[in-house]
Amino acid sequence: MKIGFIGLGIMGRPMVLNLMKAGYEVAVYDIVKENVEQMAARGAEAKCSAKEASQDCEVIITMLPNSPHVKAAVLGEDGVLEGARPGRILIDMSSIAPAASREIWEACAKKQVQMIDAPVSGGEPKAIDGTMSIMAGGDKAVFDKVYDILMSMGGSAVYCGEIGAGNTTKLANQVIVALNIAAVSEAFMLSKKAGVDPQKVFEAIRGGLAGSTVMNAKVPMILAGNDKPGFKIDLHIKDLANALETGHETGAPLPMTAGVMEILQNLRADGYGQSDHSAICKYYEKLAGTTIGTEEEGM
C-alpha cells in the first residue's frame, strides 16, 4: 500500500520512518524542502506539493501544526483534495480544533474522500519508538480499515466517536498534561523553599497516588534544568487556545485551563516559547527567585 504523508516536523519524520519500517511505501511533502530531502534519503518518495503526495495513494496522512495549516494543505490550491481520488482515506493526525475537523470532513465528503481525525499523544520520544497514543474520530468502519496503519506508528489506537471526537479527546489530554506540569512545578517549588530536596520528594511520591506519566517524564527534566523541546510551549498554547475555544462553544467551564494559559503566555513573553512545556517550572522559579533543580543548561 502507498501512503501520502504531509508534514515532516518533529513528529512527522519519525512517523514516516515507522510506516516504512512496517513495509508501506510513502510519498512525502513538507513546505520545508530540507525535511523532504531528509526523508527521501531514508527511502521515501519526495513530492513537490500536497496534491502530488496524494495522487495514487490509498491513504493520505496529514501531521501539521494547527487548523489553518491543515485547511490549507487539504482544501487549498495544490492540496490533498485536488490529488486524492474518490474512495481514498484522509487521516488527519494533527492536533486541531474539533470544529475545524468537522469542516474539513464535510469538504472531503463532497469529493467522496473519507476522513478520520486521529491526533496523537506522547511527543517525539514515542513518535520515534512507535508507541504513541492515538485517539480517533469519524466513521468506525473507516477507522477499522486504517487500524493497522495507525498501529504501525502507535502503541494504542482508540476509537472515540464521530468526527472531531479524536481532537476533543486530545484537547482533554492536553488540559490534563498542562495542569499536571503546573501542579508538579508548584509542589516541587514548595519542597525546595521548605528545604526538602526535590529529588527525594520525587522518589518518595512517584509510586503513590500523585505519581503519573507526566511526573515521570517531566520531573527529571525539571530537576536537571533541561528544557530541550519534546513538546514546545508554543504548541501547548495552541492546544489550550483550541480547548478554551471549544469550551466556550460547548459551555464547558475551564477556569484552571485559563489560569495555566496565562502562565504559558507569560513564559512565551519571557522567551520560552520554543522550550519544552516542562519549562512551566520557570514561571514558579521566577516568582520564587530560585530554581527547583540545577541551573538550566544552554540558556
Side-chain angles (χ1 to χ4, degrees):
M1 177 186 291
K2 187 174 183 179
I3 297 172
F5 200 104
I6 299 154
L8 303 172
I10 289 176
M11 300 290 285
R13 292 193 298 274
M15 290 165 69
V16 168
L17 293 177
N18 282 323
L19 286 169
M20 292 192 295
K21 183 179 179 181
Y24 296 106
E25 181 183 356
V26 186
V28 298
Y29 171 70
D30 191 276
I31 59 173
V32 179
K33 185 178 179 181
E34 290 78 10
N35 290 344
V36 177
E37 292 172 346
Q38 185 182 72
M39 289 296 97
R42 301 292 295 273
E45 183 180 348
K47 296 295 184 180
C48 297
S49 67
K51 176 182 177 179
E52 282 192 14
S54 304
Q55 291 172 336
D56 302 320
C57 293
E58 297 176 50
V59 173
I60 303 99
I61 297 173
T62 46
M63 187 61 176
L64 298 162
N66 203 358
S67 307
H69 307 91
V70 181
K71 288 182 183 180
V74 177
L75 311 180
E77 184 178 356
D78 286 330
V80 170
L81 291 184
E82 289 189 4
R85 298 204 298 268
R88 299 318 194 205
I89 297 173
L90 169 66
I91 308 173
D92 178 34
M93 303 189 76
S94 318
S95 295
I96 67 175
S101 291
R102 290 189 287 271
E103 179 183 343
I104 296 165
W105 173 77
E106 290 173 357
C108 286
K110 292 177 181 178
K111 296 284 188 176
Q112 298 180 344
V113 172
Q114 299 172 305
M115 174 189 169
I116 63 170
D117 63 308
V120 306
S121 177
E124 183 182 13
K126 289 187 178 292
I128 291 171
D129 62 24
T131 60
M132 301 182 301
S133 297
I134 301 171
M135 47 219 84
D139 189 320
K140 178 62 162 55
V142 177
F143 170 79
D144 290 340
K145 286 180 183 178
V146 300
Y147 180 79
D148 288 344
I149 293 174
L150 297 176
M151 288 302 294
S152 71
M153 297 176 285
S156 66
V158 177
Y159 176 73
C160 300
E162 63 185 17
I163 194 72
N167 272 304
T168 299
T169 305
K170 177 59 185 289
L171 293 182
N173 180 87
Q174 295 303 83
V175 166
I176 292 168
V177 170
L179 269 59
N180 203 331
I181 296 173
V184 163
S185 299
E186 195 164 305
F188 279 75
M189 182 55 75
L190 170 64
S191 72
K192 179 68 176 284
K193 295 292 283 187
V196 181
D197 183 357
Q199 177 64 45
K200 296 299 183 184
V201 174
F202 178 49
E203 294 170 4
I205 69 175
R206 63 186 300 186
L209 189 59
S212 68
T213 300
V214 173
M215 180 184 286
N216 288 338
K218 299 303 175 180
V219 169
M221 296 180 68
I222 292 171
L223 295 179
N226 172 22
D227 59 9
K228 180 181 178 181
F231 190 80
K232 297 176 183 178
I233 280 177
D234 281 342
L235 290 176
H236 218 135
I237 287 173
K238 177 264 296 185
D239 287 339
L240 294 194
N242 285 334
L244 290 167
E245 179 183 347
T246 303
H248 295 156
E249 291 172 353
T250 60
L254 300 172
M256 294 172 67
T257 303
V260 175
M261 175 64 123
E262 292 306 307
I263 292 174
L264 293 175
Q265 294 286 2
N266 184 281
L267 288 164
R268 174 188 273 174
D270 284 347
Y272 289 105
Q274 293 297 298
S275 297
D276 187 77
H277 52 181
S278 62
I280 286 173
C281 71
K282 306 293 185 190
Y283 176 81
Y284 290 90
E285 291 175 342
K286 179 181 178 181
L287 293 180
T290 187
T291 60
I292 294 172
T294 60
E295 292 296 328
E296 52 268 50
E297 300 172 353
M299 295 299 294

